[in-house]
Amino acid sequence: MVKPAHVAIIMDGNGRWAEARGLPRRAGHRAGVEALRRTVRNAGELGVSWLTVYAFSSENWSRPRSEVNDLMGLLRLFIRRDLAELHQNGVRVRIVGDRVTLEPDIKALLQEAENLTAGNTSMNLVIAFNYGSRDEIVRAAAALLHDIQAGKVDADALTIERFGAYLDTAGIPDPDLIIRTSGEQRLSNFLLWQAAYAEFVFVQGHWPDFSREDLAAAIATFSGRERRFGGVTAREAAL
């Protein structure tokens, strides 16, 4: 059975999970953090080498200030509480997204997570924070244009791989499988460039309820699909 080396997850439905239980949205976000902890452990046990999670999008700043503050607090708590365990378990943490406008203590925490775990090799956890794929592509294009104008890059020799080196995900393999919870079936500005040949699995349950069984089922679905990458299978070629 071929398993995905890189699984990316859009963790959707925290608010709806809470509302269905008559709880405030912040309770859903807290339950979502617990689901993330479980999923990191489960992914490692199921043989996933790379796990990318959509933690906070660049569009999420438009949410009520109280909710944004709560999400920032949960990030601080997650890193301070879980970083030592992640490091002990050999998990390398990578952050993708725009850090320029983040609060200094948030930027410091993100950098600390990357620095502490930089040498770990058992699994890679990529956290997309203040991330939007269109913003990422525009920033990459601006950086590339700057280097072209400075004579560092030959525009005529530009390739897909060369452009990819300017993205936040440089050095990170493209996702094989993208999972979205809560029944929604869209990317929501997540890894638009990198998802060119990803397989998609949409889970009906909300993110706080996402289980090991859900992850294993998504991996099994992936393993049952035939990936062509624009080509044809041996059987089709013989027809």
Side-chain angles (χ1 to χ4, degrees), residues 121-144:
T121 58
S122 67
M123 180 184 168
N124 298 274
L125 173 62
V126 183
I127 301 174
F129 187 81
N130 194 27
Y131 175 86
S133 191
R134 287 179 171 179
D135 172 71
E136 174 193 28
I137 292 169
V138 168
R139 287 188 285 106
L144 173 61

Side-chain angles (χ1 to χ4, degrees), residues 91-197:
V91 178
R92 182 184 182 187
V93 178
R94 295 277 300 272
I95 311 296
V96 296
D98 187 3
R99 305 188 202 185
V100 173
T101 59
L102 296 178
E103 293 293 328
D105 73 310
I106 293 285
K107 285 192 279 191
L109 282 173
L110 298 180
Q111 193 63 55
E112 177 189 355
E114 288 187 317
N115 291 345
L116 178 65
T117 63
N120 293 342
T121 58
S122 67
M123 180 184 168
N124 298 274
L125 173 62
V126 183
I127 301 174
F129 187 81
N130 194 27
Y131 175 86
S133 191
R134 287 179 171 179
D135 172 71
E136 174 193 28
I137 292 169
V138 168
R139 287 188 285 106
L144 173 61
L145 178 60
H146 180 273
D147 283 353
I148 289 174
Q149 292 174 336
K152 297 179 181 179
V153 176
D154 181 358
D156 293 331
L158 184 62
T159 63
I160 291 172
E161 292 74 20
R162 190 67 179 269
F163 183 79
Y166 285 84
L167 296 170
D168 294 348
T169 54
I172 298 173
D174 289 344
D176 302 298
L177 169 64
I178 295 179
I179 301 169
R180 181 167 186 154
T181 58
S182 207
E184 304 293 348
Q185 298 186 23
R186 57 182 179 271
L187 276 175
S188 296
N189 202 17
F190 181 56
L191 300 179
L192 300 180
W193 174 279
Q194 300 84 349
Y197 285 103

Side-chain angles (χ1 to χ4, degrees), residues 57-119:
S57 80
S58 52
E59 288 80 23
N60 285 158
W61 296 108
S62 63
R63 294 188 178 190
R65 172 51 54 183
S66 60
E67 183 172 353
V68 170
N69 288 341
D70 194 52
L71 289 168
M72 294 299 111
L74 287 174
L75 174 71
R76 292 180 177 96
L77 181 63
F78 176 77
I79 293 179
R80 288 169 179 157
R81 172 178 164 179
D82 293 88
L83 183 57
E85 181 180 348
L86 291 170
H87 182 46
Q88 183 178 2
N89 292 333
V91 178
R92 182 184 182 187
V93 178
R94 295 277 300 272
I95 311 296
V96 296
D98 187 3
R99 305 188 202 185
V100 173
T101 59
L102 296 178
E103 293 293 328
D105 73 310
I106 293 285
K107 285 192 279 191
L109 282 173
L110 298 180
Q111 193 63 55
E112 177 189 355
E114 288 187 317
N115 291 345
L116 178 65
T117 63

